[in-house]
Amino acid sequence: MTQDPQGFDKEPEVPDAEATTPEVPAESSVSDELGGGAAPSGDGAAESTASQDPKDAKDRQDIALTAQLDQARSALSERTQDLQRLQAEFQNYRRRVERDRIAVKEMAVANLLTELLPVLDDIGRARDHGELVGGFKQVAESLETVAAKMGLMQFGKEGEPFDPMVHEALMHSYSPDVTETTCVQILQPGYRIGERTIRPARVGVAEPQPGKPADQQDESASEKDDGGGPDEG
């Protein structure tokens, strides 16, 4: 009969895994699940609470709104200045265009009336010679009326002082009857449109006698009026 060898009659004992696992405190596992680490200190908690203060948040919001308002006001001021500058430029442009338009119109009228001056001169000579009669008279007067409506004005009369700005002297003489250079004959009348002279008056002028002051001329004239020389005894 065979016998079992000693030491192999029982199976070896295997330790239980659950029994060998060390126990972990419940609090540690909970803190690890929440992110690990120790709880914040007292100072950190106070700062976090202060940063979440509604008053501070409102102050920061007011500061941000004030900055935005200042920025909007600055942009509005710049746009207003740009608009005012553009408006001033437009007003200057409109005045310039209006001035140029008036100048072009006056130039066109002046050119037209300048071409009509010889016709007006012929009408004036015909009137001086008594030839302005009948239908020709009516046509001439109508033409002169239209020219006057367009701003044409005639100037130049005998006896007015000579002005080189508006008179053109074609004849010159001396006369004891004048005390200054005077227009004594109108050879061709002058014409102007407003303040613009389109043709000077062509005249004959007379000057005082040379070497005889105006006072002596006045005395001579008064002696002639009195009857001549001194009274006889």
Side-chain angles (χ1 to χ4, degrees):
M1 208 175 144
T2 60
Q3 297 180 357
D4 295 331
Q6 295 181 352
F8 293 97
D9 56 351
K10 296 181 180 179
E11 293 180 0
E13 296 179 0
V14 178
D16 190 358
E18 295 180 358
T20 59
T21 302
E23 295 182 0
V24 180
E27 296 179 358
S28 298
S29 62
V30 173
S31 62
D32 293 339
E33 292 177 0
L34 294 175
S41 61
D43 295 340
E47 291 177 359
S48 177
T49 305
S51 63
Q52 297 176 0
D53 189 356
K55 184 177 180 181
D56 293 341
K58 184 179 180 181
D59 292 342
R60 288 195 300 271
Q61 186 178 6
D62 292 343
I63 293 173
L65 291 176
T66 302
Q68 293 178 0
L69 181 60
D70 292 341
Q71 186 178 3
R73 287 176 176 173
S74 178
L76 178 61
S77 178
E78 292 178 359
R79 299 299 179 272
T80 302
Q81 292 177 0
D82 293 341
L83 181 60
Q84 291 175 350
R85 183 169 57 255
L86 290 175
Q87 186 177 7
E89 291 177 357
F90 176 73
Q91 293 292 340
N92 293 333
Y93 169 77
R94 187 169 64 179
R95 284 194 293 266
R96 201 162 49 244
V97 169
E98 183 67 17
R99 185 174 60 249
D100 294 343
R101 185 184 67 82
I102 295 175
V104 170
K105 180 180 177 181
E106 291 178 351
M107 186 177 298
V109 172
N111 292 335
L112 174 62
L113 294 177
T114 300
E115 297 296 328
L116 290 178
L117 293 184
V119 179
L120 297 176
D121 292 337
D122 292 339
I123 292 173
R125 284 190 288 268
R127 181 180 289 110
D128 294 338
H129 291 82
E131 299 176 356
L132 197 63
V133 295
F136 178 59
K137 179 180 180 181
Q138 295 179 356
V139 173
E141 291 177 350
S142 298
L143 180 61
E144 290 175 340
T145 301
V146 172
K149 287 182 178 179
M150 297 179 69
L152 185 66
M153 295 181 294
Q154 182 179 355
F155 67 91
K157 295 181 179 180
E158 295 182 1
E160 62 184 12
F162 175 76
D163 184 358
M165 299 299 295
V166 296
H167 296 137
E168 181 181 354
L170 299 182
M171 298 176 62
H172 177 270
S173 62
Y174 295 96
S175 173
D177 299 329
V178 298
T179 58
E180 60 179 348
T181 305
T182 306
C183 299
V184 295
Q185 186 178 3
I186 305 299
L187 304 177
Q188 195 175 54
Y191 290 94
R192 65 165 61 97
I193 300 176
E195 299 297 329
R196 179 183 178 184
T197 300
I198 61 175
R199 190 182 75 179
R202 293 167 180 170
V203 299
V205 299
E207 290 183 319
Q209 289 288 347
K212 193 173 184 180
D215 295 340
Q216 293 182 3
Q217 293 179 8
D218 295 339
E219 291 178 358
S220 299
S222 61
E223 289 178 357
K224 290 179 179 180
D225 294 339
D226 292 341
D231 295 337
E232 293 181 357

